[in-house]
PDB file of all heavy atoms in Angstrom:
ATOM      1  N   LEU A 243     -74.812 -10.622 -15.327  1.00 96.00           N
ATOM      2  CA  LEU A 243     -73.355 -10.752 -15.560  1.00 96.00           C
ATOM      3  C   LEU A 243     -72.660  -9.378 -15.569  1.00 96.00           C
ATOM      4  O   LEU A 243     -71.492  -9.269 -15.221  1.00 96.00           O
ATOM      5  CB  LEU A 243     -73.115 -11.472 -16.869  1.00 96.00           C
ATOM      6  CG  LEU A 243     -73.521 -12.939 -16.947  1.00 96.00           C
ATOM      7  CD1 LEU A 243     -73.445 -13.464 -18.355  1.00 96.00           C
ATOM      8  CD2 LEU A 243     -72.654 -13.784 -15.993  1.00 96.00           C
ATOM      9  N   SER A 244     -73.369  -8.359 -16.038  1.00 92.00           N
ATOM     10  CA  SER A 244     -72.736  -7.049 -16.178  1.00 92.00           C
ATOM     11  C   SER A 244     -73.803  -5.966 -16.102  1.00 92.00           C
ATOM     12  O   SER A 244     -74.874  -6.091 -16.649  1.00 92.00           O
ATOM     13  CB  SER A 244     -72.038  -6.976 -17.533  1.00 92.00           C
ATOM     14  OG  SER A 244     -71.607  -5.652 -17.822  1.00 92.00           O
ATOM     15  N   ILE A 245     -73.443  -4.842 -15.407  1.00 88.00           N
ATOM     16  CA  ILE A 245     -74.390  -3.725 -15.302  1.00 88.00           C
ATOM     17  C   ILE A 245     -74.581  -3.075 -16.687  1.00 88.00           C
ATOM     18  O   ILE A 245     -75.685  -2.697 -17.044  1.00 88.00           O
ATOM     19  CB  ILE A 245     -73.881  -2.656 -14.301  1.00 88.00           C
ATOM     20  CG1 ILE A 245     -73.806  -3.282 -12.915  1.00 88.00           C
ATOM     21  CG2 ILE A 245     -74.796  -1.467 -14.292  1.00 88.00           C
ATOM     22  CD1 ILE A 245     -73.147  -2.395 -11.900  1.00 88.00           C
ATOM     23  N   GLN A 246     -73.497  -2.967 -17.472  1.00 88.00           N
ATOM     24  CA  GLN A 246     -73.572  -2.421 -18.826  1.00 88.00           C
ATOM     25  C   GLN A 246     -72.916  -3.393 -19.836  1.00 88.00           C
ATOM     26  O   GLN A 246     -71.745  -3.229 -20.169  1.00 88.00           O
ATOM     27  CB  GLN A 246     -72.868  -1.073 -18.849  1.00 88.00           C
ATOM     28  CG  GLN A 246     -73.728   0.059 -18.306  1.00 88.00           C
ATOM     29  CD  GLN A 246     -73.142   1.431 -18.654  1.00 88.00           C
ATOM     30  OE1 GLN A 246     -71.942   1.681 -18.489  1.00 88.00           O
ATOM     31  NE2 GLN A 246     -73.989   2.308 -19.145  1.00 88.00           N
ATOM     32  N   PRO A 247     -73.693  -4.408 -20.249  1.00 93.00           N
ATOM     33  CA  PRO A 247     -73.111  -5.399 -21.176  1.00 93.00           C
ATOM     34  C   PRO A 247     -72.757  -4.746 -22.530  1.00 93.00           C
ATOM     35  O   PRO A 247     -73.314  -3.737 -22.919  1.00 93.00           O
ATOM     36  CB  PRO A 247     -74.267  -6.358 -21.393  1.00 93.00           C
ATOM     37  CG  PRO A 247     -75.220  -6.111 -20.256  1.00 93.00           C
ATOM     38  CD  PRO A 247     -75.063  -4.676 -19.949  1.00 93.00           C
ATOM     39  N   ASP A 248     -71.803  -5.347 -23.213  1.00 94.00           N
ATOM     40  CA  ASP A 248     -71.374  -4.898 -24.537  1.00 94.00           C
ATOM     41  C   ASP A 248     -72.582  -4.942 -25.453  1.00 94.00           C
ATOM     42  O   ASP A 248     -73.196  -6.001 -25.646  1.00 94.00           O
ATOM     43  CB  ASP A 248     -70.277  -5.821 -25.060  1.00 94.00           C
ATOM     44  CG  ASP A 248     -69.740  -5.424 -26.428  1.00 94.00           C
ATOM     45  OD1 ASP A 248     -70.428  -4.682 -27.129  1.00 94.00           O
ATOM     46  OD2 ASP A 248     -68.650  -5.842 -26.785  1.00 94.00           O
ATOM     47  N   PRO A 249     -72.957  -3.821 -26.090  1.00 94.00           N
ATOM     48  CA  PRO A 249     -74.141  -3.793 -26.972  1.00 94.00           C
ATOM     49  C   PRO A 249     -74.098  -4.818 -28.100  1.00 94.00           C
ATOM     50  O   PRO A 249     -75.145  -5.399 -28.427  1.00 94.00           O
ATOM     51  CB  PRO A 249     -74.163  -2.376 -27.532  1.00 94.00           C
ATOM     52  CG  PRO A 249     -73.451  -1.569 -26.500  1.00 94.00           C
ATOM     53  CD  PRO A 249     -72.370  -2.467 -25.982  1.00 94.00           C
ATOM     54  N   ARG A 250     -72.947  -5.059 -28.650  1.00 96.00           N
ATOM     55  CA  ARG A 250     -72.804  -6.057 -29.733  1.00 96.00           C
ATOM     56  C   ARG A 250     -73.223  -7.448 -29.182  1.00 96.00           C
ATOM     57  O   ARG A 250     -73.935  -8.195 -29.874  1.00 96.00           O
ATOM     58  CB  ARG A 250     -71.397  -6.101 -30.279  1.00 96.00           C
ATOM     59  CG  ARG A 250     -71.242  -7.164 -31.379  1.00 96.00           C
ATOM     60  CD  ARG A 250     -69.770  -7.394 -31.763  1.00 96.00           C
ATOM     61  NE  ARG A 250     -69.679  -8.392 -32.838  1.00 96.00           N
ATOM     62  CZ  ARG A 250     -69.754  -9.707 -32.642  1.00 96.00           C
ATOM     63  NH1 ARG A 250     -69.944 -10.197 -31.414  1.00 96.00           N
ATOM     64  NH2 ARG A 250     -69.612 -10.513 -33.676  1.00 96.00           N
ATOM     65  N   GLU A 251     -72.753  -7.811 -28.007  1.00 97.00           N
ATOM     66  CA  GLU A 251     -73.069  -9.082 -27.448  1.00 97.00           C
ATOM     67  C   GLU A 251     -74.519  -9.169 -27.005  1.00 97.00           C
ATOM     68  O   GLU A 251     -75.176 -10.228 -27.092  1.00 97.00           O
ATOM     69  CB  GLU A 251     -72.131  -9.393 -26.248  1.00 97.00           C
ATOM     70  CG  GLU A 251     -70.648  -9.363 -26.588  1.00 97.00           C
ATOM     71  CD  GLU A 251     -70.293 -10.226 -27.827  1.00 97.00           C
ATOM     72  OE1 GLU A 251     -70.951 -11.288 -28.017  1.00 97.00           O
ATOM     73  OE2 GLU A 251     -69.433  -9.847 -28.593  1.00 97.00           O
ATOM     74  N   LEU A 252     -75.081  -8.044 -26.569  1.00 95.00           N
ATOM     75  CA  LEU A 252     -76.525  -8.005 -26.233  1.00 95.00           C
ATOM     76  C   LEU A 252     -77.340  -8.374 -27.494  1.00 95.00           C
ATOM     77  O   LEU A 252     -78.318  -9.102 -27.376  1.00 95.00           O
ATOM     78  CB  LEU A 252     -76.928  -6.629 -25.755  1.00 95.00           C
ATOM     79  CG  LEU A 252     -76.824  -6.321 -24.268  1.00 95.00           C
ATOM     80  CD1 LEU A 252     -77.242  -4.908 -23.998  1.00 95.00           C
ATOM     81  CD2 LEU A 252     -77.674  -7.279 -23.448  1.00 95.00           C
ATOM     82  N   ASP A 253     -76.944  -7.810 -28.640  1.00 96.00           N
ATOM     83  CA  ASP A 253     -77.688  -8.105 -29.877  1.00 96.00           C
ATOM     84  C   ASP A 253     -77.537  -9.583 -30.276  1.00 96.00           C
ATOM     85  O   ASP A 253     -78.503 -10.214 -30.721  1.00 96.00           O
ATOM     86  CB  ASP A 253     -77.182  -7.166 -31.012  1.00 96.00           C
ATOM     87  CG  ASP A 253     -77.842  -5.834 -30.957  1.00 96.00           C
ATOM     88  OD1 ASP A 253     -78.644  -5.585 -30.035  1.00 96.00           O
ATOM     89  OD2 ASP A 253     -77.597  -5.013 -31.851  1.00 96.00           O
ATOM     90  N   MET A 254     -76.338 -10.113 -30.109  1.00 97.00           N
ATOM     91  CA  MET A 254     -76.137 -11.549 -30.394  1.00 97.00           C
ATOM     92  C   MET A 254     -77.073 -12.402 -29.526  1.00 97.00           C
ATOM     93  O   MET A 254     -77.673 -13.353 -30.016  1.00 97.00           O
ATOM     94  CB  MET A 254     -74.665 -11.920 -30.076  1.00 97.00           C
ATOM     95  CG  MET A 254     -73.682 -11.561 -31.156  1.00 97.00           C
ATOM     96  SD  MET A 254     -73.823 -12.665 -32.594  1.00 97.00           S
ATOM     97  CE  MET A 254     -73.183 -14.196 -31.914  1.00 97.00           C
ATOM     98  N   LEU A 255     -77.191 -12.012 -28.289  1.00 97.00           N
ATOM     99  CA  LEU A 255     -78.043 -12.728 -27.339  1.00 97.00           C
ATOM    100  C   LEU A 255     -79.514 -12.562 -27.662  1.00 97.00           C
ATOM    101  O   LEU A 255     -80.304 -13.535 -27.830  1.00 97.00           O
ATOM    102  CB  LEU A 255     -77.761 -12.281 -25.900  1.00 97.00           C
ATOM    103  CG  LEU A 255     -78.573 -12.889 -24.801  1.00 97.00           C
ATOM    104  CD1 LEU A 255     -78.282 -14.391 -24.661  1.00 97.00           C
ATOM    105  CD2 LEU A 255     -78.307 -12.181 -23.464  1.00 97.00           C
ATOM    106  N   ALA A 256     -79.987 -11.321 -27.789  1.00 95.00           N
ATOM    107  CA  ALA A 256     -81.414 -11.023 -27.966  1.00 95.00           C
ATOM    108  C   ALA A 256     -81.958 -11.595 -29.259  1.00 95.00           C
ATOM    109  O   ALA A 256     -83.107 -11.988 -29.342  1.00 95.00           O
ATOM    110  CB  ALA A 256     -81.620  -9.518 -27.914  1.00 95.00           C
ATOM    111  N   ALA A 257     -81.098 -11.679 -30.281  1.00 96.00           N
ATOM    112  CA  ALA A 257     -81.561 -12.147 -31.613  1.00 96.00           C
ATOM    113  C   ALA A 257     -81.985 -13.606 -31.597  1.00 96.00           C
ATOM    114  O   ALA A 257     -82.746 -14.079 -32.423  1.00 96.00           O
ATOM    115  CB  ALA A 257     -80.489 -11.927 -32.642  1.00 96.00           C
ATOM    116  N   THR A 258     -81.529 -14.383 -30.589  1.00 97.00           N
ATOM    117  CA  THR A 258     -81.850 -15.791 -30.527  1.00 97.00           C
ATOM    118  C   THR A 258     -83.363 -16.028 -30.226  1.00 97.00           C
ATOM    119  O   THR A 258     -83.870 -17.088 -30.596  1.00 97.00           O
ATOM    120  CB  THR A 258     -80.996 -16.547 -29.477  1.00 97.00           C
ATOM    121  OG1 THR A 258     -81.289 -16.013 -28.175  1.00 97.00           O
ATOM    122  CG2 THR A 258     -79.536 -16.386 -29.768  1.00 97.00           C
ATOM    123  N   GLY A 259     -83.993 -15.096 -29.576  1.00 96.00           N
ATOM    124  CA  GLY A 259     -85.440 -15.260 -29.279  1.00 96.00           C
ATOM    125  C   GLY A 259     -86.286 -15.384 -30.497  1.00 96.00           C
ATOM    126  O   GLY A 259     -87.102 -16.321 -30.607  1.00 96.00           O
ATOM    127  N   GLU A 260     -86.089 -14.465 -31.446  1.00 97.00           N
ATOM    128  CA  GLU A 260     -86.856 -14.508 -32.724  1.00 97.00           C
ATOM    129  C   GLU A 260     -86.424 -15.710 -33.597  1.00 97.00           C
ATOM    130  O   GLU A 260     -87.272 -16.271 -34.309  1.00 97.00           O
ATOM    131  CB  GLU A 260     -86.651 -13.229 -33.483  1.00 97.00           C
ATOM    132  CG  GLU A 260     -87.541 -12.075 -33.076  1.00 97.00           C
ATOM    133  CD  GLU A 260     -87.183 -11.464 -31.725  1.00 97.00           C
ATOM    134  OE1 GLU A 260     -86.024 -11.708 -31.264  1.00 97.00           O
ATOM    135  OE2 GLU A 260     -88.004 -10.787 -31.162  1.00 97.00           O
ATOM    136  N   GLN A 261     -85.163 -16.076 -33.513  1.00 97.00           N
ATOM    137  CA  GLN A 261     -84.695 -17.222 -34.297  1.00 97.00           C
ATOM    138  C   GLN A 261     -85.431 -18.493 -33.850  1.00 97.00           C
ATOM    139  O   GLN A 261     -85.828 -19.296 -34.672  1.00 97.00           O
ATOM    140  CB  GLN A 261     -83.185 -17.400 -34.123  1.00 97.00           C
ATOM    141  CG  GLN A 261     -82.547 -18.337 -35.129  1.00 97.00           C
ATOM    142  CD  GLN A 261     -81.045 -18.281 -35.119  1.00 97.00           C
ATOM    143  OE1 GLN A 261     -80.473 -17.194 -34.948  1.00 97.00           O
ATOM    144  NE2 GLN A 261     -80.407 -19.413 -35.260  1.00 97.00           N
ATOM    145  N   ALA A 262     -85.592 -18.638 -32.532  1.00 97.00           N
ATOM    146  CA  ALA A 262     -86.284 -19.807 -31.972  1.00 97.00           C
ATOM    147  C   ALA A 262     -87.736 -19.837 -32.406  1.00 97.00           C
ATOM    148  O   ALA A 262     -88.289 -20.849 -32.877  1.00 97.00           O
ATOM    149  CB  ALA A 262     -86.140 -19.830 -30.473  1.00 97.00           C
ATOM    150  N   SER A 263     -88.479 -18.684 -32.251  1.00 97.00           N
ATOM    151  CA  SER A 263     -89.864 -18.645 -32.580  1.00 97.00           C
ATOM    152  C   SER A 263     -90.099 -18.859 -34.095  1.00 97.00           C
ATOM    153  O   SER A 263     -91.080 -19.489 -34.481  1.00 97.00           O
ATOM    154  CB  SER A 263     -90.498 -17.345 -32.100  1.00 97.00           C
ATOM    155  OG  SER A 263     -89.958 -16.231 -32.764  1.00 97.00           O
ATOM    156  N   SER A 264     -89.177 -18.356 -34.913  1.00 98.00           N
ATOM    157  CA  SER A 264     -89.312 -18.529 -36.392  1.00 98.00           C
ATOM    158  C   SER A 264     -89.175 -19.981 -36.778  1.00 98.00           C
ATOM    159  O   SER A 264     -89.978 -20.503 -37.588  1.00 98.00           O
ATOM    160  CB  SER A 264     -88.306 -17.663 -37.114  1.00 98.00           C
ATOM    161  OG  SER A 264     -88.523 -16.297 -36.894  1.00 98.00           O
ATOM    162  N   ALA A 265     -88.197 -20.649 -36.183  1.00 98.00           N
ATOM    163  CA  ALA A 265     -87.996 -22.067 -36.484  1.00 98.00           C
ATOM    164  C   ALA A 265     -89.179 -22.886 -35.993  1.00 98.00           C
ATOM    165  O   ALA A 265     -89.666 -23.806 -36.717  1.00 98.00           O
ATOM    166  CB  ALA A 265     -86.680 -22.576 -35.850  1.00 98.00           C
ATOM    167  N   LEU A 266     -89.692 -22.613 -34.835  1.00 98.00           N
ATOM    168  CA  LEU A 266     -90.837 -23.333 -34.291  1.00 98.00           C
ATOM    169  C   LEU A 266     -92.085 -23.141 -35.181  1.00 98.00           C
ATOM    170  O   LEU A 266     -92.832 -24.098 -35.420  1.00 98.00           O
ATOM    171  CB  LEU A 266     -91.138 -22.864 -32.872  1.00 98.00           C
ATOM    172  CG  LEU A 266     -90.151 -23.340 -31.793  1.00 98.00           C
ATOM    173  CD1 LEU A 266     -90.397 -22.586 -30.498  1.00 98.00           C
ATOM    174  CD2 LEU A 266     -90.265 -24.823 -31.566  1.00 98.00           C
ATOM    175  N   LEU A 267     -92.267 -21.888 -35.684  1.00 98.00           N
ATOM    176  CA  LEU A 267     -93.436 -21.663 -36.563  1.00 98.00           C
ATOM    177  C   LEU A 267     -93.294 -22.415 -37.869  1.00 98.00           C
ATOM    178  O   LEU A 267     -94.273 -22.970 -38.392  1.00 98.00           O
ATOM    179  CB  LEU A 267     -93.581 -20.170 -36.811  1.00 98.00           C
ATOM    180  CG  LEU A 267     -94.766 -19.765 -37.689  1.00 98.00           C
ATOM    181  CD1 LEU A 267     -96.069 -20.329 -37.184  1.00 98.00           C
ATOM    182  CD2 LEU A 267     -94.842 -18.243 -37.805  1.00 98.00           C
ATOM    183  N   ALA A 268     -92.076 -22.434 -38.419  1.00 98.00           N
ATOM    184  CA  ALA A 268     -91.881 -23.196 -39.690  1.00 98.00           C
ATOM    185  C   ALA A 268     -92.151 -24.679 -39.459  1.00 98.00           C
ATOM    186  O   ALA A 268     -92.748 -25.359 -40.303  1.00 98.00           O
ATOM    187  CB  ALA A 268     -90.408 -22.988 -40.165  1.00 98.00           C
ATOM    188  N   MET A 269     -91.745 -25.241 -38.288  1.00 98.00           N
ATOM    189  CA  MET A 269     -92.059 -26.628 -37.990  1.00 98.00           C
ATOM    190  C   MET A 269     -93.570 -26.851 -37.829  1.00 98.00           C
ATOM    191  O   MET A 269     -94.074 -27.868 -38.284  1.00 98.00           O
ATOM    192  CB  MET A 269     -91.362 -27.016 -36.646  1.00 98.00           C
ATOM    193  CG  MET A 269     -89.826 -27.040 -36.686  1.00 98.00           C
ATOM    194  SD  MET A 269     -89.201 -27.368 -35.024  1.00 98.00           S
ATOM    195  CE  MET A 269     -87.463 -26.915 -35.279  1.00 98.00           C
ATOM    196  N   ALA A 270     -94.234 -25.900 -37.174  1.00 98.00           N
ATOM    197  CA  ALA A 270     -95.677 -26.024 -36.981  1.00 98.00           C
ATOM    198  C   ALA A 270     -96.431 -26.008 -38.334  1.00 98.00           C
ATOM    199  O   ALA A 270     -97.406 -26.750 -38.514  1.00 98.00           O
ATOM    200  CB  ALA A 270     -96.187 -24.856 -36.099  1.00 98.00           C
ATOM    201  N   LEU A 271     -95.962 -25.203 -39.255  1.00 98.00           N
ATOM    202  CA  LEU A 271     -96.542 -25.132 -40.585  1.00 98.00           C
ATOM    203  C   LEU A 271     -96.324 -26.433 -41.332  1.00 98.00           C
ATOM    204  O   LEU A 271     -97.231 -26.994 -41.974  1.00 98.00           O
ATOM    205  CB  LEU A 271     -95.954 -23.926 -41.373  1.00 98.00           C
ATOM    206  CG  LEU A 271     -96.505 -22.556 -40.999  1.00 98.00           C
ATOM    207  CD1 LEU A 271     -95.568 -21.429 -41.490  1.00 98.00           C
ATOM    208  CD2 LEU A 271     -97.911 -22.331 -41.557  1.00 98.00           C
ATOM    209  N   ALA A 272     -95.098 -26.940 -41.232  1.00 98.00           N
ATOM    210  CA  ALA A 272     -94.781 -28.194 -41.902  1.00 98.00           C
ATOM    211  C   ALA A 272     -95.649 -29.334 -41.347  1.00 98.00           C
ATOM    212  O   ALA A 272     -96.063 -30.229 -42.106  1.00 98.00           O
ATOM    213  CB  ALA A 272     -93.274 -28.521 -41.709  1.00 98.00           C
ATOM    214  N   ALA A 273     -95.888 -29.291 -40.048  1.00 97.00           N
ATOM    215  CA  ALA A 273     -96.733 -30.351 -39.414  1.00 97.00           C
ATOM    216  C   ALA A 273     -98.145 -30.300 -39.937  1.00 97.00           C
ATOM    217  O   ALA A 273     -98.884 -31.300 -39.857  1.00 97.00           O
ATOM    218  CB  ALA A 273     -96.724 -30.179 -37.886  1.00 97.00           C
ATOM    219  N   GLN A 274     -98.587 -29.129 -40.483  1.00 95.00           N
ATOM    220  CA  GLN A 274     -99.924 -29.013 -41.061  1.00 95.00           C
ATOM    221  C   GLN A 274     -99.904 -29.227 -42.576  1.00 95.00           C
ATOM    222  O   GLN A 274    -100.903 -28.895 -43.228  1.00 95.00           O
ATOM    223  CB  GLN A 274    -100.500 -27.644 -40.685  1.00 95.00           C
ATOM    224  CG  GLN A 274    -100.552 -27.429 -39.190  1.00 95.00           C
ATOM    225  CD  GLN A 274    -101.665 -26.493 -38.804  1.00 95.00           C
ATOM    226  OE1 GLN A 274    -102.580 -26.229 -39.562  1.00 95.00           O
ATOM    227  NE2 GLN A 274    -101.562 -26.012 -37.583  1.00 95.00           N
ATOM    228  N   GLY A 275     -98.779 -29.652 -43.070  1.00 97.00           N
ATOM    229  CA  GLY A 275     -98.696 -29.968 -44.508  1.00 97.00           C
ATOM    230  C   GLY A 275     -98.409 -28.726 -45.369  1.00 97.00           C
ATOM    231  O   GLY A 275     -98.573 -28.785 -46.600  1.00 97.00           O
ATOM    232  N   VAL A 276     -97.953 -27.622 -44.726  1.00 98.00           N
ATOM    233  CA  VAL A 276     -97.648 -26.425 -45.493  1.00 98.00           C
ATOM    234  C   VAL A 276     -96.117 -26.274 -45.573  1.00 98.00           C
ATOM    235  O   VAL A 276     -95.448 -26.169 -44.552  1.00 98.00           O
ATOM    236  CB  VAL A 276     -98.229 -25.150 -44.824  1.00 98.00           C
ATOM    237  CG1 VAL A 276     -97.841 -23.903 -45.586  1.00 98.00           C
ATOM    238  CG2 VAL A 276     -99.715 -25.212 -44.679  1.00 98.00           C
ATOM    239  N   PRO A 277     -95.548 -26.340 -46.774  1.00 98.00           N
ATOM    240  CA  PRO A 277     -94.108 -26.193 -46.902  1.00 98.00           C
ATOM    241  C   PRO A 277     -93.657 -24.779 -46.437  1.00 98.00           C
ATOM    242  O   PRO A 277     -94.242 -23.802 -46.834  1.00 98.00           O
ATOM    243  CB  PRO A 277     -93.812 -26.396 -48.387  1.00 98.00           C
ATOM    244  CG  PRO A 277     -95.126 -26.149 -49.069  1.00 98.00           C
ATOM    245  CD  PRO A 277     -96.225 -26.496 -48.094  1.00 98.00           C
ATOM    246  N   ALA A 278     -92.669 -24.761 -45.588  1.00 98.00           N
ATOM    247  CA  ALA A 278     -92.221 -23.457 -45.003  1.00 98.00           C
ATOM    248  C   ALA A 278     -90.740 -23.471 -44.765  1.00 98.00           C
ATOM    249  O   ALA A 278     -90.124 -24.514 -44.576  1.00 98.00           O
ATOM    250  CB  ALA A 278     -92.965 -23.190 -43.696  1.00 98.00           C
ATOM    251  N   ARG A 279     -90.160 -22.293 -44.814  1.00 98.00           N
ATOM    252  CA  ARG A 279     -88.727 -22.153 -44.538  1.00 98.00           C
ATOM    253  C   ARG A 279     -88.488 -20.877 -43.737  1.00 98.00           C
ATOM    254  O   ARG A 279     -89.091 -19.826 -44.012  1.00 98.00           O
ATOM    255  CB  ARG A 279     -87.955 -22.051 -45.876  1.00 98.00           C
ATOM    256  CG  ARG A 279     -86.446 -21.988 -45.685  1.00 98.00           C
ATOM    257  CD  ARG A 279     -85.709 -22.280 -46.947  1.00 98.00           C
ATOM    258  NE  ARG A 279     -85.751 -23.711 -47.282  1.00 98.00           N
ATOM    259  CZ  ARG A 279     -85.325 -24.206 -48.421  1.00 98.00           C
ATOM    260  NH1 ARG A 279     -84.821 -23.423 -49.347  1.00 98.00           N
ATOM    261  NH2 ARG A 279     -85.397 -25.493 -48.664  1.00 98.00           N
ATOM    262  N   SER A 280     -87.686 -20.980 -42.667  1.00 98.00           N
ATOM    263  CA  SER A 280     -87.406 -19.811 -41.841  1.00 98.00           C
ATOM    264  C   SER A 280     -86.002 -19.265 -42.130  1.00 98.00           C
ATOM    265  O   SER A 280     -85.078 -20.007 -42.509  1.00 98.00           O
ATOM    266  CB  SER A 280     -87.483 -20.187 -40.369  1.00 98.00           C
ATOM    267  OG  SER A 280     -86.465 -21.068 -39.993  1.00 98.00           O
ATOM    268  N   TYR A 281     -85.893 -17.952 -42.000  1.00 98.00           N
ATOM    269  CA  TYR A 281     -84.587 -17.280 -42.213  1.00 98.00           C
ATOM    270  C   TYR A 281     -84.378 -16.313 -41.047  1.00 98.00           C
ATOM    271  O   TYR A 281     -85.282 -15.587 -40.640  1.00 98.00           O
ATOM    272  CB  TYR A 281     -84.572 -16.442 -43.520  1.00 98.00           C
ATOM    273  CG  TYR A 281     -84.581 -17.300 -44.758  1.00 98.00           C
ATOM    274  CD1 TYR A 281     -85.737 -17.414 -45.519  1.00 98.00           C
ATOM    275  CD2 TYR A 281     -83.396 -17.948 -45.193  1.00 98.00           C
ATOM    276  CE1 TYR A 281     -85.701 -18.179 -46.684  1.00 98.00           C
ATOM    277  CE2 TYR A 281     -83.375 -18.690 -46.350  1.00 98.00           C
ATOM    278  CZ  TYR A 281     -84.543 -18.833 -47.110  1.00 98.00           C
ATOM    279  OH  TYR A 281     -84.559 -19.585 -48.252  1.00 98.00           O
ATOM    280  N   ALA A 282     -83.112 -16.259 -40.538  1.00 97.00           N
ATOM    281  CA  ALA A 282     -82.726 -15.206 -39.655  1.00 97.00           C
ATOM    282  C   ALA A 282     -82.486 -13.956 -40.487  1.00 97.00           C
ATOM    283  O   ALA A 282     -82.245 -14.023 -41.719  1.00 97.00           O
ATOM    284  CB  ALA A 282     -81.496 -15.592 -38.867  1.00 97.00           C
ATOM    285  N   GLY A 283     -82.494 -12.795 -39.839  1.00 96.00           N
ATOM    286  CA  GLY A 283     -82.285 -11.523 -40.597  1.00 96.00           C
ATOM    287  C   GLY A 283     -81.034 -11.506 -41.395  1.00 96.00           C
ATOM    288  O   GLY A 283     -80.988 -10.995 -42.529  1.00 96.00           O
ATOM    289  N   TRP A 284     -79.909 -12.095 -40.856  1.00 96.00           N
ATOM    290  CA  TRP A 284     -78.640 -12.038 -41.569  1.00 96.00           C
ATOM    291  C   TRP A 284     -78.632 -12.945 -42.774  1.00 96.00           C
ATOM    292  O   TRP A 284     -77.819 -12.798 -43.689  1.00 96.00           O
ATOM    293  CB  TRP A 284     -77.500 -12.376 -40.615  1.00 96.00           C
ATOM    294  CG  TRP A 284     -77.511 -13.800 -40.047  1.00 96.00           C
ATOM    295  CD1 TRP A 284     -78.093 -14.162 -38.868  1.00 96.00           C
ATOM    296  CD2 TRP A 284     -76.964 -14.967 -40.629  1.00 96.00           C
ATOM    297  NE1 TRP A 284     -77.925 -15.520 -38.675  1.00 96.00           N
ATOM    298  CE2 TRP A 284     -77.245 -16.029 -39.747  1.00 96.00           C
ATOM    299  CE3 TRP A 284     -76.268 -15.260 -41.822  1.00 96.00           C
ATOM    300  CZ2 TRP A 284     -76.861 -17.362 -40.005  1.00 96.00           C
ATOM    301  CZ3 TRP A 284     -75.874 -16.556 -42.077  1.00 96.00           C
ATOM    302  CH2 TRP A 284     -76.171 -17.577 -41.176  1.00 96.00           C
ATOM    303  N   GLN A 285     -79.580 -13.952 -42.814  1.00 97.00           N
ATOM    304  CA  GLN A 285     -79.625 -14.871 -43.957  1.00 97.00           C
ATOM    305  C   GLN A 285     -80.370 -14.271 -45.139  1.00 97.00           C
ATOM    306  O   GLN A 285     -80.168 -14.685 -46.278  1.00 97.00           O
ATOM    307  CB  GLN A 285     -80.269 -16.177 -43.526  1.00 97.00           C
ATOM    308  CG  GLN A 285     -79.451 -16.995 -42.521  1.00 97.00           C
ATOM    309  CD  GLN A 285     -80.211 -18.218 -42.059  1.00 97.00           C
ATOM    310  OE1 GLN A 285     -81.290 -18.078 -41.511  1.00 97.00           O
ATOM    311  NE2 GLN A 285     -79.657 -19.400 -42.252  1.00 97.00           N
ATOM    312  N   VAL A 286     -81.265 -13.311 -44.879  1.00 97.00           N
ATOM    313  CA  VAL A 286     -82.083 -12.798 -45.977  1.00 97.00           C
ATOM    314  C   VAL A 286     -81.237 -12.117 -47.048  1.00 97.00           C
ATOM    315  O   VAL A 286     -81.384 -12.481 -48.252  1.00 97.00           O
ATOM    316  CB  VAL A 286     -83.210 -11.908 -45.396  1.00 97.00           C
ATOM    317  CG1 VAL A 286     -83.963 -11.212 -46.528  1.00 97.00           C
ATOM    318  CG2 VAL A 286     -84.188 -12.693 -44.529  1.00 97.00           C
ATOM    319  N   PRO A 287     -80.366 -11.146 -46.825  1.00 96.00           N
ATOM    320  CA  PRO A 287     -80.111 -10.447 -45.551  1.00 96.00           C
ATOM    321  C   PRO A 287     -80.935  -9.143 -45.433  1.00 96.00           C
ATOM    322  O   PRO A 287     -81.254  -8.494 -46.398  1.00 96.00           O
ATOM    323  CB  PRO A 287     -78.635 -10.155 -45.651  1.00 96.00           C
ATOM    324  CG  PRO A 287     -78.372  -9.927 -47.113  1.00 96.00           C
ATOM    325  CD  PRO A 287     -79.351 -10.807 -47.840  1.00 96.00           C
ATOM    326  N   VAL A 288     -81.209  -8.826 -44.159  1.00 96.00           N
ATOM    327  CA  VAL A 288     -81.770  -7.496 -43.807  1.00 96.00           C
ATOM    328  C   VAL A 288     -80.598  -6.616 -43.380  1.00 96.00           C
ATOM    329  O   VAL A 288     -80.010  -6.849 -42.308  1.00 96.00           O
ATOM    330  CB  VAL A 288     -82.805  -7.584 -42.646  1.00 96.00           C
ATOM    331  CG1 VAL A 288     -83.266  -6.207 -42.281  1.00 96.00           C
ATOM    332  CG2 VAL A 288     -83.964  -8.508 -43.038  1.00 96.00           C
ATOM    333  N   LYS A 289     -80.174  -5.705 -44.274  1.00 97.00           N
ATOM    334  CA  LYS A 289     -78.967  -4.875 -43.958  1.00 97.00           C
ATOM    335  C   LYS A 289     -79.338  -3.731 -43.046  1.00 97.00           C
ATOM    336  O   LYS A 289     -80.374  -3.054 -43.246  1.00 97.00           O
ATOM    337  CB  LYS A 289     -78.391  -4.344 -45.272  1.00 97.00           C
ATOM    338  CG  LYS A 289     -77.900  -5.416 -46.244  1.00 97.00           C
ATOM    339  CD  LYS A 289     -76.537  -5.928 -45.813  1.00 97.00           C
ATOM    340  CE  LYS A 289     -75.973  -6.952 -46.822  1.00 97.00           C
ATOM    341  NZ  LYS A 289     -75.689  -6.319 -48.143  1.00 97.00           N
TER     342      LYS A 289
END
């Protein structure tokens, strides 16, 4: 879409990768009977 994308929007986009894998891992743990909860960095928060 752009040779030099806005860095803020790049971060918004790139952060979704870890959010997806974290949620999937929490689901996988729950499926094995282990209570789990996932958090994105902003929810912790990691400042």
Side-chain angles (χ1 to χ4, degrees):
L243 294 170
S244 170
I245 297 172
Q246 281 193 312
D248 181 341
R250 180 192 180 279
E251 302 309 325
L252 271 180
D253 278 3
M254 280 287 289
L255 177 67
T258 62
E260 277 72 17
Q261 193 169 323
S263 63
S264 296
L266 288 168
L267 180 55
M269 293 175 195
L271 284 162
Q274 301 208 19
V276 179
R279 182 165 288 172
S280 69
Y281 290 105
W284 63 267
Q285 292 175 303
V286 173
V288 177
K289 298 280 184 66

